[in-house]
Each structure stands twice: as structure tokens, then as C-alpha cells.
Amino acid sequence: MVHPVFLAATALSLIMSSSVQAQTQGTTQAAAPVQSNPLLAMWSGSYGGVPPWDQVRPELFPEAFATALAERQAEYEAIASNPEAPTFANTFVPMQLAGEQLGRVNALFGVMTSNMNNPAYQALDAEWSPKQAAAQDAITFNPALLARIEAIYNARETSGLDAEQQRLVTRTYESFVRQGARLDAGQKARLSEINQQLASNFATYSEKLLTDEATYIAVTDESELAGVPASVKSVARAAAQERGLEGWAIVNTRSAVDPVLTFATDRALREKVWRAFVNRGDNGGASDTNATIAAILQLRDERAELLGFDNHAEWRMQDTMAKTPAAATDLMMRVWPAATARVAEEVRDMQAIAEAEGAGLTIEPWDYRFYQEKVRKARYDLDQAELKPYFALDNMIDAAFWSANQLYGLQFEEISGTVPVFEPNVRVWHVKDKDGAEVGLFYRDDFARTGKRSGAWATTYRSQRDLPPAKNVLSSNNNNFAKGAPGEPVLISLDDAETLFHEFGHAIHSMLQDVTYPGLAGTPRDFVEYPSQVNEHWLLTREVLDRFARHYETGEPMPQELLDKVKAAQTFNQGFATVEYLASAIVDMKLHTATEPVTDPDAFERTALAEIGMPRELVMRHRLPQFNHLFSSDAYSAGYYSYLWSETMDADTWAAFEEAGGAWDKATADRFAELLLSTGNETDRAEAYRAFRGRDPDVKALLRIRGFPAE
């Protein structure tokens, strides 16, 4: 499961990029004078202006940050000190427009720290993350500003505001209060200290983890790679050459590790690669993250208490669909028993094959993917390596575009080479709607490299809004596909193709957005993954496969016999997939509802997993020492459950298409876009879902899709 950071925002929040924060070491370089600093300029050129990636350098950021923060502070001071009586027009409208320069600077910086990181950016992040947190608190804690917001809030139902304006006022007021705006002076001072310390610790955590993800397992004897497909070995060879090594290098990232764990017949190599991967951040050296995690948890606990909540999870879940830790936990525990029962079945099947082969072993975590592949081939005559030739990256990109056009009318024209990019392999498309009207640009950064964080994610450099001056969208997808050797085709796995469609679902969500106020653009965290998870379903439709899943050598489409095997195996190994994800989500919730802040993350992880009966043959998808979602920011803390919450709506939505006659039913697609994809947070998302489906989502659809008992 992939983890884009495409998160809710409010009118008061920092317009920060959704990147991982990285950190410390060194001092920032001297800043360029304001008048010559391109980071402070309005984005120029066609398409509503584009980011000046070709001019971004780390030494430009100190001046840019300082200037942009000061400008935003002055804008808010002007709002707060306005002598006129507070109105929506003189308070909320300028708040919606404030901080645009800072938003541009942070969009640039976020991409550099996520996609092009190096020690200079880490040092900047370490220095400026706490300063940004303090600057945000200065706005949130301004009593004159709160007084104006509160006056408008108290009169919201009698002052002629429309429904959207009332929702913006209500959400903004509640967010200010939730962030500590009503605390006394001493409490505000302490809360600001906590927020700054957290920002610093998030940066430290990210830097440490990035250090471990840059490590690798070197292989000099090709016999150790027996069983590994040639395309995977080619990637490992290219990684070794990049590092000036002979032989092969298995980089410590999921995209490099998983194929080795799936295909390598050398069990010792599998164990070595597995241990390196699952122990990222947990090796006791300078990059160990456990102490940083403990510090983050202590600060979160103190902050929650200061704000009047029992724990961090209660505070974080105030603005979610689930509302409470209990509701999220209830959903997870409805699925957990079926998932663990399925794991037991999967292990029995794998053990039987190992014994039949005379392997003389008991299935261990580093054996799971290897033997699951044997079971898959035996049961379904399906070899994952047999699929890869049909999934050329360029074809899959075209497939995603074609599907979006068929469903929503979006039109894509590649313009790579005509606008600046931050790395030569980044591609760009101009996007129009079904009527040919401007939507914006879409950027793709698909390949893994040193300095790029692991995983896959979506973000926006600029979000759509209708509030004058109206703006189009600049959206992006970021993956870590293996590029391979020069001249060789880029072939991706079925899982990678699903990731591509998933991330593109986030992009579609941003492209179809049609909101007036930026403060009503971001959706709750447990809604964010819903549009992207729905979009995965179109990949394996016959219409997409016939056009785009063509063998890279013969040009023939994927044969129906092979697709039938894929379809038959869709619920295969769902025990593993569900348990490794749910274990992470459950431990996240336990961690952030603990009565006392956890001081030993490793010990807590072991105890929590034992309490829920974690199968010994697999580990959490993200162990705490490398759980970026929780500790590089507050973004998904007490929120990793949201993938399951979103998937419940996703499964039920796909059922709606099937009930209406099929994947391409236009009336259903139109309603989905109109009620859910285009509306941001202009209405309550649960109400919007009920308007689309006629009821709340049915968890039975999720259980059926995963092949679990639904009754």
C-alpha cells in the first residue's frame, strides 16, 4: 500500500508542501539579496505561471523564508488590526489570500527535501522547521485575530452568509481553538515551544531514516542472485555502478528489496536483505530513531494534555470522518480476525510446499514472499515475472490518462522540455477538461535515486481555487520505480502498476476540484486515500489491458488466459497484505492512546503485537523505527487506519459501478465526480458519500474484495 501525503488544510495552516522533513548538520549559507532572489518572485510563464525549478538553490532559501514569513505575518496583522467591524469580506477573504508567497517558497522547498535531498537541504530543514512552527503559532495565538473570527462565527447564521461561507467560518474557528488559540499566555508559550521542538524532531527523524535508506547490500557473486529475474538484476547492477561498485547493489528501499525477497533462491541472501530492510532506523548507531520517537511521543502527550484531550489520538481525530479512536479501532478489529486466520492458511500452504521440496525449514518472515510465489504458481499457474513484460511504464502512464479521459473527460498533452523541472527525468503534461478549458499541469517524477525519499506520493505545487484571482492546479505524482540500465525498457510489476493508478487517483482528485475557498479544499485524512484507492480498480479492466498492457517485445495484448489467472488470484495472499498493514495501523492507534508516553518504542511494538496476536511469520509493514507516516510530521499520526477507512468507501463505490452495469458507467462516474471528487470539503464528507451511495458505506464490500467472510 502506498502512502501519498495529500492532506487536509485549513485557512490558517501553513501552506507547506507535503514532503518528508529532513535535517540538521552544518549552517545555512549566506542568503541572496531579496531583489535578486527568484524564489520570491511570482511564478511566471504560461499555464498560470510555473515553478522556477531551474533556479532553485539551497542558499536562496534563508532569505526567501525570512521575507515570506514576514510578509505573511504583516498580512495577518493587517487583518487583526483592521478598525472596521469584522465581516466575512474584511476578515475571511483576506485570510484565504494571505501567505501566498510563503506557499510558493514552501512548495519549492518541500519538493527539494522529498525528491532531491542533500546535506544542505537537511541543514535548512533543521533550522527553519522550528521557525515556521513558531511563525504559525504567532498567527494562531493572536487574540485580536481570534476575536474577529469568533465574532463572525457567533453571527454566522444571521449575517447572510451562504452555506459554504458558514462552513469555512465554522471550520476555521474550531481549528483555531483546537490549535490552542483560547489558551492563556503561559500555556501558549509552552505550546509554541512544544510545536517547535516537534518540528525539529521530525526533521531529525527524517534525516536519520534517509541515511539508512541510502545503505545497500553488496553482491559480488552472481550465484547469490539465482532465481532473480534479469530485469531486477539489471537494476541492481545499475545501482552498483552508480555507487562505483563491482557486481550488484540491493538498495535498502522497498522497490529494490521486495523482488529479491520474492524470487531469490538463496535463503541467506533473503534473510540478510530482509533484516537490513526491517531494521532501518533500529541499528543502535547514529541513525537510530528510537530516542527521537520517544521524544516526539512525550511532546505529543504533553500537547494533548495542554489542549484538554486525553491523548494525541483524541486530539488528532477531531477533524476526521471516524471522529474517535474507538470508531477507527472498531473497524480495524472487525477485519483483523479474518486477516490473521487467512495468514494461518497461507502459512500452512507455504509450509507444505517447503516440506514437499525437502527444504527442511520453518517459514520465517524472509521466506514469506518467496514461498507465497511458489503457492501462487502452483495454485493459479501464475508467475509474477510472467506479468512484467506487459507493464511497460510509458504504456501504463498512457493507460491512466486514457481512463481519466473516458471517465471524467480530462485531456493530457505532454509538454516536457518546455517548462522547468527539478530533475531531467521529470515529465510534464498540460491538462484540459472535457470542454477544453484550462485545468493545469501534471508532473511525474517516477524513478528512484539517492536523496529521494522512499515510497510513492502525490502532492500539489498549486491548488485550484475560484476565489479571485482564480488559480489552476499544478499536480504531481512521485514514485520510486527502478530505472534500469540505459536503453532498456522500463518494465514495472503489477503492484507497481497499481501504485501508479493509485497515485494518479490523487492527481485526478486535485484536477477535478472546483472550490471557491482554499480553506474548503483539503479533505479529512481518512477521506484522502479514498479517490486514489478507487482509481486502482480500472487498471485490470479489459478495456485498459487491451489497449495498453501489451508485451514490450511482441506488442500483443495480455491474453485472456493470463488475465483470468490474475483475477482468480486477486484474493490470494490477502492475509499477508492485510495483516502487515493493519498491524501498523493498530500499533499506531495503541501508541497514541497510551495512558503514558512510550519511552521504549521497540518494547512497546513487541508488546502491542503480542496483545493482538501478530503472526510470527511476518512483520508490520512499517515498524516504528521507520514509520515515516507517524514521525516525519503529525500528518498520519493516529491516522494510519485511514487507508482502511477509505478502502471501505472504495470497495462500496466500486460495487456501485458494478451494480450500474460496469466500470465505465458514465452516469455513475459523473455522480462520483460531481458529489465527491470536485467538492473538496465544501460539505461534510460523510453526507456527501450518503448523497452518492444513498447510505453509509458497507464494510461487507471490503471483506468480499479481500476474499474474507462477509457475514
Side-chain angles (χ1 to χ4, degrees), residues 124-192:
L124 284 166
D125 202 9
E127 177 182 354
W128 284 94
S129 287
K131 291 179 180 179
Q132 295 243 26
Q136 180 59 56
D137 286 338
I139 293 169
T140 305
F141 297 162
N142 186 325
L145 182 62
L146 178 64
R148 296 184 71 85
I149 292 170
E150 187 169 18
I152 299 165
Y153 170 77
N154 290 337
R156 66 193 183 282
E157 296 178 355
T158 60
S159 56
L161 301 182
D162 64 26
E164 287 182 22
Q165 292 168 337
Q166 287 190 42
R167 183 166 175 81
L168 177 62
V169 168
T170 299
R171 287 180 53 76
T172 303
Y173 172 74
E174 291 177 349
S175 182
F176 265 73
V177 173
R178 197 161 53 244
Q179 300 296 328
R182 299 191 69 86
L183 298 178
D184 64 33
Q187 292 170 323
K188 287 178 179 177
R190 177 54 189 154
L191 180 56
S192 188

Side-chain angles (χ1 to χ4, degrees), residues 199-275:
S200 180
N201 280 313
F202 295 153
T204 299
Y205 174 89
S206 296
E207 181 190 353
K208 289 181 175 182
L209 186 55
L210 193 64
T211 298
D212 271 13
E213 289 180 341
T215 60
Y216 54 87
I217 300 294
V219 177
T220 54
D221 183 350
E222 189 170 5
S223 66
E224 288 187 73
L225 296 174
V228 176
S231 60
V232 176
K233 287 166 52 175
S234 176
V235 169
R237 170 78 80 180
Q241 291 172 345
E242 178 188 343
R243 290 160 177 78
L245 304 173
E246 296 293 326
W248 301 263
I250 303 166
V251 183
N252 209 6
T253 61
R254 192 175 301 277
S255 60
V257 164
D258 280 0
V260 174
L261 296 178
T262 301
F263 297 111
T265 58
D266 188 324
R267 193 180 189 219
L269 176 65
R270 294 202 309 269
E271 180 177 359
K272 184 190 300 184
V273 168
W274 180 86
R275 290 192 181 280

